[in-house]
Amino acid sequence: MKNPVLPAVEERAEELAALGAVNEKLGKLDDSAAKILRDTGVIKMLQPARYGGAEAHPRDFAETVMRIASLDGATGWVAGIVGVHPWEMAMCDQRVQEEIWGADNDTWIASPYAPMGVLRPVDGGYVFNGHWQFSSGTDHCDWIFLGAFLGDEDGQTLMPPRSYHVILPRSDYTIVEDSWDVVGLRGTGSKDIIVEDAFIPAHRAVPFSSMMDGSALAASGLSNPTYAVPFTTIFPLGITSAVIGIAEGALAAHLAYQRTRVQVTGTKVKDDPYVLFAISAAAEEIKASRISMLENVTRIYDKVAAGGEISFNERAASRRTQVAAAWRAVRAMDEVVARSGGNGLRMDNPIQRFWRDGHMGMAHAIHVPGAVFHVAALTDLDVTPPPGPMLSMI
């Protein structure tokens, strides 16, 4: 099936690329960049059809995020993260879906999911407190998912921990200005969030286990296979796709610059076999990252579409593929950036922004390979499931 959004993105490609430096200077997406994401329908790709969404194949979503990130890393990153949230919201309580999308189905939802808050039970729901970092695109969102642990009546975390995703309107949390001052992805505006004694109705506190065990999907009535893809495949998909797209953007900017470049030795880059070898090797590594990423999610989609279930071993292997794809793409990007010369790293050259954005993207928790590779290897050795917190990223 044809990607329903990518042609619209291509029509706005020059605008998106031109806004990269603007976003970075603002420290968040410029309103024009956010409007392009709205106009093209990127954020609604995984949104349910009953609220104007495309219910798109996750492969199409990944391809679209990669293309946007190849034009501007920050815009691609926001598209990848904010664009995943409608997928989860589609399986939440119908009451909160109506609260968010009933009057305006273009409403955006932010995050983060890190469990940095505590839910204290009270009559009818919970009292919620916490402080979170890294809420990407949050200035353009009117609702938010926040990670939390369930607490007791005194607000102390229950053991063993029970993880929740808590849904709040903009009036119930504070965005901390000037809390996003980093080396890369500056245009994402990934600011801190603070919640103080917010009341959360019970229907807006979602047990994370319900997303993992399929019970949320079963209760939703959704039949599109997109929603049967595991959370730990879908959530990283937007982020890893953005990183691969950023590497593609760096390669494209490098090639544009090298076409007419003459090195200090007087040798044209087109006549330097060593640089040419590095360019080709890097291009193939970045392409391999793209292919493995898309093949991975397509294979999982095809299995659930045929009525199959994704085993823990398959989830672990899927995560390994995602993490490895991101690392492969960024290593390849480093090879071409190192051959861009001093002028390639001037602040008016987009190569350096892609380079910084890509490395910042690798710092996200989902790209830390240690636990993911450890678990994947254990499953290959028939140790399933492995113990402790290593499960959190699988």
Side-chain angles (χ1 to χ4, degrees):
M1 189 175 78
K2 186 177 179 181
N3 187 319
V5 172
L6 196 54
V9 170
E10 293 293 354
E11 289 179 6
R12 311 294 291 273
E14 290 186 10
E15 294 175 70
L16 285 167
L19 285 165
V22 178
N23 298 330
E24 178 158 272
K25 186 176 181 180
L26 283 175
K28 63 179 182 180
L29 287 194
D30 182 78
D31 289 346
S32 298
K35 187 175 187 302
I36 292 172
L37 295 185
R38 293 184 191 278
D39 291 347
T40 56
V42 176
I43 305 301
K44 295 168 73 172
M45 290 188 77
L46 302 181
Q47 195 159 308
R50 62 177 174 258
Y51 286 111
E55 295 193 9
H57 193 302
R59 179 189 178 104
D60 291 341
F61 175 68
E63 288 179 326
T64 305
V65 170
M66 282 191 273
R67 178 54 177 149
I68 295 169
S70 76
L71 300 165
D72 173 51
T75 309
W77 183 268
V78 171
I81 288 185
V82 177
V84 162
H85 298 149
W87 176 90
E88 179 174 0
M89 182 54 62
M91 291 177 278
C92 292
D93 191 288
Q94 185 62 44
R95 287 170 290 180
V96 72
Q97 292 186 48
E98 189 64 21
E99 288 174 302
I100 294 172
W101 289 325
D104 180 6
N105 62 29
D106 278 321
T107 300
W108 288 9
I109 310 163
S111 59
Y113 291 117
M116 305 305 294
V118 177
L119 286 167
R120 178 170 62 84
V122 297
D123 288 344
Y126 308 89
V127 171
F128 192 36
N129 286 277
H131 185 161
W132 295 258
Q133 295 178 309
F134 314 133
S135 183
S136 297
T138 200
D139 288 292
H140 298 283
C141 298
D142 294 313
W143 285 74
I144 198 166
F145 279 113
L146 293 173
F149 286 131
L150 183 63
D152 60 20
E153 293 181 355
D154 296 320
Q156 299 300 309
T157 300
L158 294 174
M159 299 302 290
R162 303 180 201 174
S163 181
Y164 279 71
H165 291 173
V166 185
I167 307 163
L168 296 85
R170 180 69 183 81
S171 58
D172 285 356
Y173 59 92
T174 299
I175 298 172
V176 182
E177 297 298 335
D178 301 321
S179 57
W180 183 241
D181 186 13
V182 290
V183 69
L185 293 173
R186 295 178 64 86
T188 64
S190 302
K191 300 174 183 178
D192 288 16
I193 300 295
I194 294 176
V195 175
E196 296 180 339
D197 292 331
F199 174 72
I200 308 298
H203 72 274
R204 290 208 241 121
V206 182
F208 181 49
S209 60
S210 70
M211 291 292 163
M212 295 294 285
D213 65 16
S215 58
L217 173 60
S220 72
L222 293 164
S223 59
N224 190 314
T226 288
Y227 300 105
V229 175
F231 179 93
T232 50
T233 297
I234 284 286
F235 171 61
L237 183 69
I239 299 172
T240 305
S241 296
V243 168
I244 295 171
I246 287 166
E248 291 176 331
L251 176 62
H254 173 83
L255 291 172
Y257 173 57
Q258 298 286 48
R259 283 187 176 92
T260 58
R261 180 178 166 225
V262 178
Q263 299 174 90
V264 69
T265 60
T267 303
K268 295 179 180 179
V269 167
K270 291 179 179 179
D271 296 328
D272 187 330
Y274 306 107
V275 175
L276 297 179
F277 177 91
I279 290 172
S280 284
E284 282 303 306
E285 286 295 283
I286 294 170
K287 184 172 74 173
S289 297
R290 162 184 276 267
I291 291 171
S292 66
M293 181 74 173
L294 296 177
E295 185 278 334
N296 180 63
V297 74
T298 300
R299 175 171 38 81
I300 289 175
Y301 176 94
D302 288 346
K303 184 170 183 178
V304 297
E309 294 186 7
I310 307 302
S311 68
F312 182 86
N313 296 45
E314 289 172 305
R315 296 208 317 261
S318 170
R319 289 289 296 119
R320 178 174 60 198
T321 294
Q322 291 173 326
V323 172
W327 279 81
R328 183 187 298 120
V330 170
R331 288 191 185 109
M333 177 179 67
D334 285 346
E335 291 296 317
V336 294
V337 171
R339 291 164 174 84
S340 293
N343 288 322
L345 294 180
R346 291 188 181 277
M347 296 304 287
D348 62 354
N349 192 320
I351 295 172
Q352 51 76 32
R353 189 173 65 251
F354 284 117
W355 183 53
R356 290 184 289 107
D357 288 350
H359 280 276
M360 190 69 190
M362 291 304 295
H364 194 286
I366 69 153
H367 289 144
V368 177
V372 171
F373 282 19
H374 188 167
V375 171
L378 286 176
T379 61
D380 287 341
L381 296 170
D382 301 323
V383 180
T384 306
M390 290 187 293
L391 297 175
S392 65
M393 292 295 170
I394 306 297

